[in-house]
Amino acid sequence: MNPLSFIEGAMTRFLQLVYTRRLIAFVVLLAAVFGYVATNLPSLQKDGRVEAFMHESDPALATYYAMRREFGQDNRLVVAVKSENVFSTEFLTKFSKMHRELADNVPYVSEIFSPYNIPFIEHEDGGVFLEELVRNMLQRGRNPEELKDRILDTPLYQNFIVSKDGSTAAVVIEPYRYAPAAADCVPDPSSGATCEIVFTPLSERPLLGAPQYAEMTAAARAIAAKYEGQSFEIAIAGAPVLSTEIVAMMEGDMPRFTLACVILTVLAMIALHRSFLVALGAFLSFATALFTTLATVAATGTAMTPPVQLLIPMTLVVGLCTYIHFIATVLKARSTEKDGREALKIAVKKANTPILFTALTTAGGLIGLAAAPLAPITALGVFGTVSVGVSYLLAMTWATLVFRTLPERYLNKQSEKPGVIASVLTKGAMIAAEAPRRTLALCAGVTLAAALGIFNLSYSHNSLLWLPQDNQARQSTEFIDDTFHGTVNLEMVITPTTGYDFRDETLLKTVEETALGSYAAVDIPIGRHTSIISFLEETNQAINDGDLAARTIPGQEEIWDQLLLLEGQGIDDMKRYVSMDYSSGRVSFQTPWLEAKLYTDVIETIETRFETALGDTAKVESTGLIALLAKTSKKVLDSMTVSYAIALTLVTGMMVLALRSVGLGLVSMVPNVAPFVVLLGVMGYLGIPLDTFTVLIGGIITGLIVDDTLHFFHGVKSRLEKGLEMQEAIRATMSDIGRAVFTTTVVVMAGFAVFNLSSMSNIQSFGLLMASGALLALLSEVFIGPAALMVYDRLRQPKATATAEFTDAPA
């Protein structure tokens, strides 16, 4: 049996059963959806971290996690305080109190640094002494102004715990490397409580993540709010703060998106169908499909990231397109067939094949995204495909239940005659069909003119700019970036080869010289660089009675002695820059939060400088948050063409199969591709960059446009097979589906227009572009589709005539 016939028969029997047993079907459907959603949806996670954009198997992410396990976090939270006089006893007393409260009450703090407790290395009576800078200064009653010059001149402090100009002091909080486990035990010697020793390999311990960052940010903000005041201006920034803010905006946006989609759906369906029941069915179709899809996301342990939010309007659009086409078809069938079961059978026979292939082609467009190198885009492709399948089944079921429930008086009003909307669209289609070459020439000219704008397109990835300009986290990040020249780090992990380690004098001098030269070698400001060398230089200066000229790397014997001295004094800070056995070291460059593509050249420049300088003596590997950002940017650009090619290939193949004609299948792609090309060109002209959202437009909109294209081309083909001429087939098909095509366009535009309610600017741009794309798709369907079909038919005619003449010729 033909697979399509089998599916059609199975769907007919299923929907007729739903029609006959509507109450049982209604209860079973709601119970199944509610049970599945209630079981899984509560565990849905949200994540806005930079790391969440990478696949777990990505080598760049593996390198980054290895660095964090070895040296500690680079996801630091910074609490900066600006004052008229940072070096006054009054300010430092208040600042120290805030530091202690942050240390005591912010969870997951591994290390905390500020002028209050940062080590101050001094040399007295032949020995090196470590003091907590401000704490000991205040306890001894010393005037902070006495040490102002020394503090501002110390590289370890500059742009770290105090700005270079001395106007701002900062508390830098380094989180745990690992998330605490429920089974973790803390011994209490006072009560005699002990803990069982359980060994868990570090590679199996989960790293600290988004939920813990949110707790830290909330606690820090609550404490800072108590100290905020005149001459004590506080800004809180850092990657944990930014990721927490993005998650908070997602949590605020998702309910707004969903509610807006529901309202727009109900209003559009009531206006177009003048039936509350039809509108209610549309709402139930969308709601059940959406929550089922989100529950599936939660069941797989996948976190919701900003791009994955697009599942909301996608589910609305895909589900309602199916629902609208099927309910329109079944109501038309009811106008001539009074028996509901028979009308349902006619509707399935007429509409199921194009609806099914619409689902498959939409899934094909989304599957192209599954090959993307970014985890959220892959997730959107995978779960978007799940949404398509779920929406197909649920929309057909809800449409049947609504059809069974509609009152007789409403059903008896149904007519096969086209309404006003269908008549207007039919007139437009016939204008194109009567002058196809001129129509295509005009459309080709517009498309080509728009396509030239594609050359102006650029890629952008800067999650800071997703936030509104008046957002507190964005303003704080920009302030700290301006003041300290950095809130994120580029890490260079240097692993000496055999015969060397990170105590070798020549290697250390080469590393420091290369690091210092990197400031002038790149086009972005670098706030500071830190390594084990920084501690050696400070110690050497202290040993030489604070002589500034002695702030250098000492000789080999002195290096060994001073490192032993620092270890004996318990300076744990330096262990964040070198491994326990000195087999590898880390040079950390502090940089501002900038556009990701700007980091690409910076990383390549600095990494190449180190590789050239060190040669065969060490292996150099770049990592850190800005390395992830840069690699994210490059990978998206590299994969965009592949993703689009996969999507177009799959969609074209599905169109060929659905129409059972290679020629028609290829022709059907013309009205599909043209709106996408125009949209990309407009983006180029308007300076709207491709980002993590807008880069998805191609795969998504191609899949969605196919919905109306397939119904139109399938209807034309069916009428051609019945003997109609091409022009009449176009007229009859547009009259038949015009209202449904217009309705789906309205739904698509409304569904993506809700993104204008978002707090994030990039999501607003995406919604506006997608809504514009839907309008372009309607125009393309009405004008380019009929014109392309007419040209195709005329090109086909001579071949058909020649074949007929050859067959009829006398032997």
Side-chain angles (χ1 to χ4, degrees), residues 438-451:
R438 278 182 292 176
T439 302
L440 286 181
L442 178 61
C443 293
V446 172
T447 303
L448 181 60

Side-chain angles (χ1 to χ4, degrees), residues 406-455:
L406 285 168
E408 284 292 320
R409 64 180 181 277
Y410 181 83
L411 294 173
N412 292 333
K413 289 181 182 178
Q414 302 307 307
S415 171
E416 284 195 318
K417 294 180 181 179
V420 176
I421 293 173
S423 298
V424 171
L425 294 184
T426 301
K427 286 180 182 178
M430 296 318 297
I431 290 172
E434 289 166 4
R437 295 184 186 278
R438 278 182 292 176
T439 302
L440 286 181
L442 178 61
C443 293
V446 172
T447 303
L448 181 60
L452 295 176
I454 294 176
F455 294 102

Side-chain angles (χ1 to χ4, degrees), residues 226-380:
K226 297 192 300 186
Y227 291 88
E228 181 82 45
Q230 190 175 4
S231 296
F232 211 84
E233 302 171 25
I234 301 177
I236 303 178
V241 175
L242 197 58
S243 65
T244 298
E245 194 69 19
I246 290 172
V247 169
M249 289 195 167
M250 286 170 53
E251 291 175 340
D253 285 348
M254 286 180 65
R256 285 203 299 269
F257 290 167
T258 306
L259 180 61
C261 284
V262 168
I263 293 172
L264 290 171
T265 299
V266 172
L267 291 178
M269 297 304 289
I270 289 177
L272 293 169
H273 285 274
R274 299 179 184 178
S275 168
F276 177 75
L277 280 175
V278 173
L280 179 62
F283 159 67
L284 290 172
S285 175
F286 162 60
T288 51
L290 174 64
F291 286 113
T292 300
T293 302
L294 293 180
T296 304
V297 174
T300 60
T302 304
M304 287 289 290
T305 54
V308 182
Q309 290 183 100
L310 301 183
L311 283 172
I312 297 174
M314 278 177 54
T315 304
L316 170 75
V317 169
V318 172
L320 288 190
C321 286
T322 300
Y323 178 87
I324 289 166
H325 278 291
F326 188 64
I327 197 73
T329 305
V330 79
L331 290 175
K332 278 184 176 291
R334 175 62 176 74
S335 67
T336 56
E337 174 55 64
K338 301 305 179 184
D339 181 82
R341 285 173 57 86
E342 284 302 310
L344 198 60
K345 183 177 180 180
I346 293 169
V348 173
K349 184 174 181 61
K350 184 178 180 180
N352 186 67
T353 296
I355 286 176
L356 175 63
F357 272 96
T358 291
L360 292 174
T361 49
T362 303
L366 293 169
I367 286 172
L369 301 178
L374 297 189
I377 298 179
T378 298
L380 184 63

Side-chain angles (χ1 to χ4, degrees), residues 734-806:
M734 189 59 76
S735 296
D736 186 34
I737 69 167
R739 183 178 180 184
V741 167
F742 180 79
T743 305
T744 54
T745 301
V746 171
V747 168
V748 171
M749 293 181 68
F752 285 103
V754 302
F755 278 132
N756 286 301
L757 300 174
S758 176
S759 307
M760 295 161 64
S761 58
N762 60 326
I763 295 182
Q764 293 174 4
S765 299
F766 177 84
L768 180 61
L769 289 168
M770 287 297 292
S772 302
L775 180 59
L776 289 172
L778 176 63
L779 296 175
S780 178
E781 210 66 62
V782 173
F783 294 104
I784 298 180
L789 281 170
M790 289 301 298
V791 171
Y792 169 73
D793 186 59
R794 291 177 183 179
L795 292 174
R796 205 165 50 97
Q797 290 296 337
K799 295 181 181 179
T801 303
T803 303
E805 289 175 354
F806 178 80

Side-chain angles (χ1 to χ4, degrees), residues 80-288:
V81 185
K82 184 176 182 179
S83 180
E84 295 175 357
N85 187 1
V86 166
F87 294 94
S88 68
T89 302
E90 180 184 0
F91 171 85
L92 289 174
T93 300
K94 184 176 180 180
F95 182 88
S96 300
K97 185 179 178 183
M98 185 185 73
H99 170 108
R100 292 192 297 271
E101 192 167 349
L102 289 168
D104 293 339
N105 296 308
V106 173
Y108 314 116
V109 175
S110 172
E111 297 284 350
I112 183 167
F113 308 98
S114 80
Y116 173 74
N117 73 330
I118 198 148
F120 187 69
I121 304 173
E122 287 194 300
H123 182 261
E124 292 181 12
D125 301 327
V128 173
F129 296 89
L130 298 179
E131 293 188 346
E132 291 183 322
L133 182 58
V134 169
R135 180 181 178 182
N136 290 331
M137 188 185 303
L138 293 176
Q139 285 181 346
R140 294 180 182 182
R142 294 177 65 178
N143 185 353
E145 288 285 347
E146 296 176 9
L147 292 177
K148 178 179 178 180
D149 292 339
R150 170 71 188 274
I151 292 169
L152 293 179
D153 192 48
T154 301
L156 271 174
Y157 303 156
Q158 286 178 6
N159 288 335
F160 181 51
I161 50 92
V162 65
S163 61
K164 196 168 185 177
D165 63 2
S167 67
T168 308
V171 180
V172 180
I173 300 173
E174 185 175 297
Y176 289 161
R177 304 181 194 191
Y178 305 99
D184 285 351
C185 173
V186 179
D188 184 5
S190 63
S191 64
T194 59
C195 295
E196 179 183 355
I197 297 176
V198 178
F199 175 75
T200 304
L202 295 182
S203 58
E204 296 178 11
R205 294 199 64 179
L207 293 166
L208 207 70
Q212 292 81 28
Y213 290 157
E215 290 182 55
M216 294 183 71
T217 301
R221 281 177 169 168
I223 293 168
K226 297 192 300 186
Y227 291 88
E228 181 82 45
Q230 190 175 4
S231 296
F232 211 84
E233 302 171 25
I234 301 177
I236 303 178
V241 175
L242 197 58
S243 65
T244 298
E245 194 69 19
I246 290 172
V247 169
M249 289 195 167
M250 286 170 53
E251 291 175 340
D253 285 348
M254 286 180 65
R256 285 203 299 269
F257 290 167
T258 306
L259 180 61
C261 284
V262 168
I263 293 172
L264 290 171
T265 299
V266 172
L267 291 178
M269 297 304 289
I270 289 177
L272 293 169
H273 285 274
R274 299 179 184 178
S275 168
F276 177 75
L277 280 175
V278 173
L280 179 62
F283 159 67
L284 290 172
S285 175
F286 162 60
T288 51

